[in-house]
Amino acid sequence: MSAVIDSHPHGHVHGPAKGLMRWVLTTNHKDIGTLYLVFSFAMFLFGGSMAMVIRAELFQPGLQIVQPEFFNQMTTMHGLVMVFGAVMPAFVGLANWMIPLMIGAPDMALPRMNNFSFWLLPAAFGLMASTLFMEGGGPNFGWTFYAPLSTTYAPESVTFFIFAVHLMGISSIMGAINVIATVLNLRAPGMTLMQMPLFVWTWLITAFLLIAVMPVLAGVVTMMLMDIHFGTSFFSAAGGGDPVLFQHVFWFFGHPEVYIMILPAFGAVSAIIPTFSRKPLFGYTSMVYATGAIAFLSFIVWAHHMFTVGIPLTGELFFMYATMLIAVPTGVKVFNWASTMWRGSLSFEAPMLFAVAFVILFTIGGFSGLMLAIAPADFQYHDTYFVVAHFHYVLVPGAIFGIFASAYYWLPKWTGHMYDETLARLHFWLSFVGMNLAFFPMHFVGLAGMPRRIPDYNLMFANFNMVSSIGAFLFGATQLLFLFIVIKCVRGGPVAAAKPWDGAHGLEWTLPSPAPYHTFQTPPQVDERSRLH
């Protein structure tokens, strides 16, 4: 047996267990990072196919493709799979791949736990997907699974859904412990915290957020389990409980969760923009403090999801102002990214295109978030497609574009090959157009009063919904192009330079213009002639 599981210091399995078992038993952070990324892309396609069902049903008014019950199952599973199966594992995969390389560590601090935390995920999502085939169907109560809808009126499969959520939470907590242990204990000698790349900083703060809020999610689903099977009344008014308690506990997890999904993207974009601007990042220290401020504020704004449930006016005012306050550190970040690009020697390869789109479109999502933060206005926006537009503008150009930018940026490092730049830019532009076509019209139908999570709608919303559906189909189909680009890159292609994005070496074969005058590898020598050029 020892020959089978003999783990090399770098985690490669020797003896008869090569091939498949290498991936099952690996403790190598790069292998595990790859597993996370492949799994998250599979979940991205799985969750995306559910979005295609939703948008096909909404292509025209009237019920035509699926039953309302199945439509509800699709909206629920789409949200759960995208949040917990696509976005979070993708960032954990990037963390596994890049954090040890960035801080000079030989591997993650807890490599066997790293392997275990990954393999919990296929089990969790296999269980969750299986609920769709159970009697009574899968979860049909929205990705926020509000009680008592999810406790009193839920299908039988809700018990399995609760178990799947527990497995995902355990996986996330173990991954977070691993990141913290690695960053605090395995940095190269002489590397202080304030010398770490921002991607490492954002992940360190994200890991603390995960450890703080995942037990809260575990608590709320356990209370649901007790209400369903053990006769408690946490969320049942008939037994002295309170349905609004569910919302408080859920959103105390749920709001920091949305920052867990975006902070690592902030870190990746903070690496990509300086590279393609040929300038150091503007305002490193303020970026670190802004990330910390966002993380802290994320814990004191949860009830802005609950303005319409009847919380006291004082509470509404507090949560309104606290929510608006988050715009300040976020604005600091956007200002620093813009300042990094200002007068830089910019080039627009695929990672930079996704990063610039990230900054612009994420800012639009932030502005609609500020609108939703205004308590009296939120009474109009709440539960309409305006909210759907808002959080998709944060999560698609935010988290997903951040992941695409990171993938293109680090693919040469991961594979040793350059990807096809022309196809990658095509992937960007199709994604950019599809995403905006899909989600921008939702602002309009939402302001006009179209409710979300409903499979039918008034005729007056028909044109905008048709545009949204076409955009969604375009965005969804385009992701198959991304899969092709990555497979093509892994299998071969031009050999990547040692520094693939160094302006003096790696870019001249993708750029029509000459390589930039300065790479900032050494202090600039002021030369009036080159400045005139």
Side-chain angles (χ1 to χ4, degrees):
M1 188 66 184
S2 62
V4 176
I5 315 183
D6 173 26
S7 279
H8 192 269
H10 296 299
H12 292 301
V13 179
H14 300 292
K18 283 200 173 115
L20 179 65
M21 291 310 283
R22 169 200 153 181
W23 291 99
V24 175
L25 300 172
T26 182
T27 53
N28 180 338
H29 72 99
K30 298 179 181 180
D31 284 352
I32 294 170
T34 302
L35 285 170
Y36 267 110
L37 290 165
V38 170
F39 172 79
S40 83
F41 190 72
M43 288 294 104
F44 181 52
L45 295 181
F46 179 51
S49 63
M50 295 171 182
M52 298 300 101
V53 173
I54 295 167
R55 286 314 322 174
E57 178 57 56
L58 294 172
F59 188 76
Q60 288 180 305
L63 296 174
Q64 49 260 327
I65 296 174
V66 295
Q67 293 302 310
E69 185 67 13
F70 187 70
F71 184 88
N72 291 344
Q73 292 171 25
M74 288 293 98
T75 53
T76 302
M77 292 287 281
H78 166 69
L80 289 165
V81 167
M82 286 305 203
V83 169
F84 296 108
V87 172
M88 289 172 68
F91 282 128
V92 179
L94 294 173
N96 267 295
W97 248 105
M98 299 311 301
I99 287 176
L101 302 180
M102 287 177 163
I103 64 174
D107 201 301
M108 296 297 277
L110 305 159
R112 288 185 190 276
M113 190 168 87
N114 206 9
N115 175 289
F116 183 45
S117 70
F118 170 74
W119 284 110
L120 279 175
L121 285 179
F125 282 93
L127 184 63
M128 185 174 279
S130 73
T131 60
L132 289 170
F133 303 101
M134 293 178 185
E135 195 173 348
N140 60 352
F141 31 66
W143 84 273
T144 51
F145 44 97
Y146 277 8
L149 192 59
S150 58
T151 52
T152 311
Y153 306 103
E156 298 278 313
S157 61
V158 70
T159 309
F160 298 94
F161 156 79
I162 289 169
F163 186 44
V165 170
H166 272 303
L167 290 177
M168 294 182 300
I170 295 166
S171 169
S172 292
I173 289 171
M174 289 200 296
I177 290 170
N178 215 344
V179 167
I180 292 170
T182 305
V183 172
L184 296 187
N185 295 320
L186 295 185
R187 295 194 308 282
M191 177 182 269
T192 64
L193 287 174
M194 292 306 283
Q195 290 170 326
M196 298 191 307
L198 261 174
F199 181 74
V200 182
W201 254 119
T202 52
W203 241 113
L204 179 64
I205 290 168
T206 301
F208 279 108
L209 284 180
L210 278 166
I211 287 176
V213 302
M214 279 326 221
V216 179
L217 178 66
V220 82
V221 294
T222 305
M223 290 157 85
M224 283 171 60
L225 192 73
M226 305 292 277
D227 272 13
I228 293 166
H229 291 293
F230 299 106
T232 57
S233 296
F234 288 111
F235 309 128
S236 168
D242 186 358
V244 177
L245 171 66
F246 178 93
Q247 297 188 30
H248 279 293
V249 183
F250 177 85
W251 285 116
F252 189 80
F253 145 80
H255 198 80
E257 165 65 22
V258 299
Y259 291 98
I260 287 164
M261 288 191 285
I262 200 71
L263 288 181
F266 286 172
V269 165
S270 300
I272 292 164
I273 287 178
T275 299
F276 294 92
S277 304
R278 314 295 187 289
K279 278 175 65 187
L281 181 74
F282 181 90
Y284 172 92
T285 310
S286 64
M287 285 295 228
V288 174
Y289 284 112
T291 309
I294 289 170
F296 169 74
L297 290 171
S298 75
F299 281 100
I300 59 168
V301 297
W302 77 88
H304 67 207
H305 299 269
M306 302 166 54
F307 282 144
T308 61
V309 304
I311 57 176
L313 183 63
T314 324
E316 290 197 359
L317 285 170
F318 170 81
F319 286 106
M320 178 169 86
Y321 292 133
T323 305
M324 290 179 171
L325 203 55
I326 288 198
V328 177
T330 313
V332 168
K333 285 183 166 297
V334 172
F335 176 83
N336 285 356
W337 290 323
S339 301
T340 304
M341 289 185 275
W342 175 251
R343 298 193 66 180
S345 183
L346 299 174
S347 63
F348 293 98
E349 285 68 47
M352 185 63 160
L353 288 172
F354 276 108
V356 172
F358 168 98
V359 174
I360 295 167
L361 298 176
F362 176 79
T363 304
I364 292 174
F367 277 130
S368 60
L370 271 176
M371 293 171 68
L372 288 160
I374 302 166
D378 186 73
F379 277 76
Q380 171 74 14
Y381 308 140
H382 190 75
D383 253 339
T384 70
Y385 263 85
F386 189 84
V387 178
V388 181
H390 157 68
F391 68 72
H392 281 88
Y393 260 86
V394 174
L395 283 174
V396 179
I400 308 271
F401 278 21
I403 293 162
F404 285 146
S406 307
Y408 285 126
Y409 185 56
W410 285 315
L411 260 176
K413 188 167 198 63
W414 297 340
T415 65
H417 302 291
M418 283 305 289
Y419 59 84
D420 187 320
E421 183 65 45
T422 308
L423 287 181
R425 292 184 191 187
L426 179 66
H427 171 231
F428 166 75
W429 284 110
L430 291 174
S431 295
F432 180 83
V433 171
M435 179 260 142
N436 281 293
L437 274 180
F439 300 117
F440 206 80
M442 291 183 186
H443 291 99
F444 304 136
V445 294
L447 288 176
M450 179 174 162
R452 60 182 180 160
R453 295 184 183 171
I454 309 281
D456 195 8
Y457 54 86
N458 192 302
L459 194 61
M460 67 186 267
F461 303 127
N463 291 344
F464 277 139
N465 271 288
M466 187 176 285
V467 171
S468 274
S469 290
I470 291 168
F473 297 148
L474 175 62
F475 182 81
T478 302
Q479 306 325 313
L480 298 173
L481 174 62
F482 176 70
L483 180 63
F484 174 76
I485 293 166
V486 172
I487 292 172
K488 184 172 176 230
C489 178
V490 170
R491 294 185 61 168
V495 175
K499 292 182 178 177
W501 303 120
D502 187 345
H505 306 296
L507 283 180
E508 60 259 33
W509 63 272
T510 60
L511 279 179
S513 55
Y517 150 62
H518 195 260
T519 64
F520 285 89
Q521 297 295 323
T522 53
Q525 304 298 315
V526 178
D527 178 350
E528 288 305 319
R529 286 173 302 171
S530 57
R531 183 177 282 180
L532 290 173
H533 288 299

